[in-house]
Amino acid sequence: MKTLTVALERRSYEIHIGSGLLAGAGAAVRAVCPRAGRLFLVTDSHVAPLYARKLEESLTGAGFEVARHVIPAGESSKCAGQLSELWEQMMDVPLTRTDAVIALGGGVVGDLAGFAAATVLRGVDFIQIPTTLLAQVDSSVGGKVAVDLKAGKNLAGAFWQPKLVLMDTDTLATLPDSTFADGMAEVIKYGCIRDREFFDFLRARPSRAEIMAEIEPVLYTCCDIKRQVVESDERDTGERMLLNFGHTLGHAYELAGHYETWTHGQAVAAGMAAACRVGVTLGITPPEVPGQVEEALAALGLPTAIPCARDNYAAAVGRDKKGEGEDISLILLAELGRAIPHKMPKAALLELL
Ligand SMILES: NC(=O)c1ccc[n+]([C@@H]2O[C@H](COP(=O)([O-])OP(=O)(O)OC[C@H]3O[C@@H](n4cnc5c(N)ncnc54)[C@H](O)[C@@H]3O)[C@@H](O)[C@H]2O)c1
Ligand SMILES: [Zn+2]
């Protein structure tokens, strides 16, 4: 097992990464929640039959009473209706202020359960047990929790750091290939923005099997980069925006496909490739970089270009048709392994695209 500590003073917590960790979850949770009697376990309809029982056995073995709440799998569960359902169920248990909430699942479960934990009884302890690659390398670390509103994704939320993040690498075995590839888009992103050596390491392992053979160091490297960024910018006002590499243009592709044709990972992959090409045009990104990034993405079946209408680009960069040229900070690669924010007029960016 590998361990990382996210150092945020009183809100510091550990990330445990390894095989077979679900079976030892009881002791690990007991160590961070010494006074808790009850645990409210949130999971989804895909994950529950696979992993909930194993986790519950370990938790009850450590003396916890566990209440399980299963939400329907999918982004549509990350909503205010489910949140209020969780609050009511928590009071029925009843959960007290010394108890804790556990999220077992992907980013949907983590974001929803985390927001419920942040708000119920003005905040109770929260444990993340992420089971998708995306949740392990991204959403479970950093303390952002949220639900979607009709007006858009993640529009109601909070910062609520977990007490512990437990990543059992065995859970990744049951992911569909496309869900695994989605997570790999974010993995490759970390290499692009912060770590050239890691990028080369990934390029030398162009398949799921080869990545899984090295999954502990892969997760460790990604979480370590996110940890550094979060520590220096917990509230997302500065350096954390480098994590948005590929996401501004990715948002345009998500819009172009009405959030259905393209997954987030696919849209981010194409967004990173496009940002590399824009960077070359602007003389910021070295000309050989787009090909290298595209090759790494394509090896995992991720797209490197997505057809997109100008209106979608305009909406994604936050400029309606009549709006006059304010600036946007686009994240570009000054070289592989080093991202920089590049401020430019929105109109100029739209011209380039
Ligand atoms: N909080 C943050 O900082 C942050 C960062 C990035 C993304 N997010 C959010 O994360 C969400 C996306 O997360 P996601 O990609 O994990 O989606 P998800 O939670 O919907 O999981 C994807 C699918 O995989 C299934 N699944 C989960 N674990 C499985 C397993 N081990 N085996 C088989 N199937 C499994 C789920 O049931 C679901 O059908 C979005 O809502 C996004 O906004 C949050
Ligand atoms: Zn993302």
Side-chain angles (χ1 to χ4, degrees), residues 44 46 75 78 106-108 111 131-132 139 144 153 171 174:
D44 77 18
H46 291 158
E75 183 74 28
K78 219 178 97 175
V108 165
D111 281 13
T131 62
T132 64
S139 62
K144 281 192 192 176
K153 280 187 54 147
T171 61
T174 50

Side-chain angles (χ1 to χ4, degrees), residues 20-309:
L21 296 194
L22 275 185
V29 174
R30 181 53 79 197
V32 295
C33 299
R35 292 191 302 149
R38 295 201 174 101
L39 300 174
F40 193 87
L41 171 64
V42 184
T43 184
D44 77 18
S45 51
H46 291 158
V47 179
L50 293 169
Y51 304 112
R53 220 177 108 195
K54 188 176 216 175
L55 175 61
E56 282 166 354
E57 277 171 9
S58 174
L59 295 171
T60 49
F64 294 110
E65 230 179 88
V66 184
R68 187 201 293 191
H69 184 89
V70 182
I71 61 168
E75 183 74 28
S76 60
S77 283
K78 219 178 97 175
C79 65
Q82 281 293 344
L83 176 66
S84 106
E85 181 71 16
L86 282 188
W87 285 331
E88 299 297 345
Q89 296 277 331
M90 287 168 170
M91 289 306 94
D92 285 347
V93 169
L95 216 61
T96 67
R97 298 198 62 178
T98 51
D99 294 332
V101 173
I102 300 195
L104 172 72
V108 165
V109 167
D111 281 13
L112 173 71
F115 193 26
T119 44
V120 78
L121 302 171
R122 298 204 175 80
V124 300
D125 286 351
F126 175 47
I127 310 260
Q128 288 266 25
I129 307 189
T131 62
T132 64
L133 182 56
L134 180 132
Q136 294 187 349
V137 300
D138 192 355
S139 62
S140 67
V141 177
K144 281 192 192 176
V145 294
V147 296
D148 302 333
L149 303 181
K150 284 200 194 86
K153 280 187 54 147
N154 301 322
L155 290 182
F159 287 95
W160 194 247
Q161 301 294 345
K163 286 280 171 235
L164 172 70
V165 184
L166 219 129
M167 302 180 184
D168 186 335
T169 54
D170 298 347
T171 61
L172 299 174
T174 50
L175 288 179
D177 277 337
S178 64
T179 314
F180 187 84
D182 279 343
M184 281 306 297
E186 306 282 356
V187 170
I188 291 168
K189 179 188 80 179
Y190 286 113
C192 289
I193 65 171
R194 210 38 184 263
D195 190 336
R196 169 71 202 244
E197 215 176 292
F198 182 52
F199 180 85
D200 291 338
F201 174 96
L202 296 171
R203 247 179 108 206
R205 290 164 183 77
S207 70
R208 178 172 177 171
E210 288 162 291
I211 296 289
M212 280 309 294
E214 305 279 353
I215 193 66
E216 265 190 41
V218 167
L219 295 178
Y220 184 92
T221 303
C222 295
C223 292
D224 197 31
I225 294 172
K226 182 134 189 199
R227 173 193 71 75
Q228 290 166 31
V229 173
V230 169
E231 281 175 358
S232 71
D233 186 15
E234 186 183 1
R235 296 294 228 182
D236 195 6
T237 51
E239 201 194 344
R240 211 158 158 166
M241 78 184 178
L242 296 182
L243 297 171
N244 285 339
F245 176 57
H247 280 63
T248 303
L249 301 178
H251 186 207
Y253 305 135
E254 289 187 298
L255 286 172
H258 306 283
Y259 287 94
E260 275 171 13
T261 315
W262 307 102
T263 63
H264 178 71
Q266 290 170 331
V268 167
M272 292 192 289
C276 288
R277 296 190 291 265
V278 167
V280 173
T281 309
L282 292 170
I284 291 167
T285 304
E288 70 279 8
V289 169
Q292 293 170 333
V293 171
E294 285 171 13
E295 188 190 303
L297 296 169
L300 289 143
L302 290 162
T304 55
I306 285 178
C308 181

